[in-house]
C-alpha cells in the first residue's frame, strides 16, 4: 500500500510540476507577445513620422528651390551685358617705385 501511495504522490507531483511549467511558458509567451506588439506600435509611429517629415521636407525643398525673386538673377542669365566699373587710376600712394626693394622683417632669435 505504501508503494501505491508513493507512486500516486509522484504522479500528482509530476502533474503539478508539468502544469507549473505550462503556466510559466504561457507567461513568458504573453510577455514576449506584449513586447512585440509594443515594438510594432513604436515602429509604426516612427514610420508614420518619417513619412510625414520626408514629405514635408520635400515640399519645403521644392518650394524653396522653385521660388526665386525676379530681380536676383545674374545679368548673364537675363540676357543683359554685365556692367563693368572702371578701375580707379593709380596714385602715388598705391604704386611704389620699382627700384625700392620690398620691406623685410628682421629675424629675431628665440
Amino acid at each position: 500500500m505504501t508503494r501505491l501511495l508513493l507512486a500516486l504522490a509522484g504522479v500528482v507531483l509530476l502533474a503539478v510540476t508539468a502544469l507549473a511549467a505550462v503556466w510559466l511558458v504561457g507567461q513568458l509567451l504573453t510577455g514576449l507577445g506584449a513586447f512585440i506588439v509594443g515594438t510594432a506600435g513604436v515602429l509604426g509611429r516612427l514610420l508614420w513620422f518619417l513619412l510625414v517629415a520626408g514629405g514635408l521636407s520635400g515640399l519645403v525643398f521644392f518650394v524653396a528651390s522653385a521660388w526665386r525673386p525676379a530681380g536676383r538673377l545674374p545679368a548673364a542669365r537675363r540676357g543683359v551685358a554685365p556692367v563693368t566699373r572702371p578701375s580707379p587710376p593709380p596714385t602715388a600712394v598705391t604704386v611704389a617705385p620699382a627700384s625700392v626693394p620690398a620691406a623685410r622683417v628682421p629675424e629675431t632669435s628665440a
Side-chain angles (χ1 to χ4, degrees), residues 6-82:
L6 283 176
L8 188 61
V11 169
V12 169
L13 187 59
L14 186 62
V16 168
T17 305
L19 186 62
V22 168
W23 175 82
L24 184 60
V25 168
Q27 292 296 314
L28 292 174
L29 288 178
T30 301
L32 181 64
F35 176 75
I36 289 173
V37 168
T39 303
V42 168
L43 290 178
R45 285 188 296 259
L46 177 66
L47 178 64
W48 175 251
F49 170 77
L50 290 176
L51 287 174
V52 170
L56 289 177
S57 63
L59 178 68
V60 168
F61 177 77
F62 174 76
V63 169
S65 63
W67 178 74
R68 303 234 190 272
R72 311 233 34 212
L73 290 176
R77 289 188 58 193
R78 286 188 306 221
V80 178

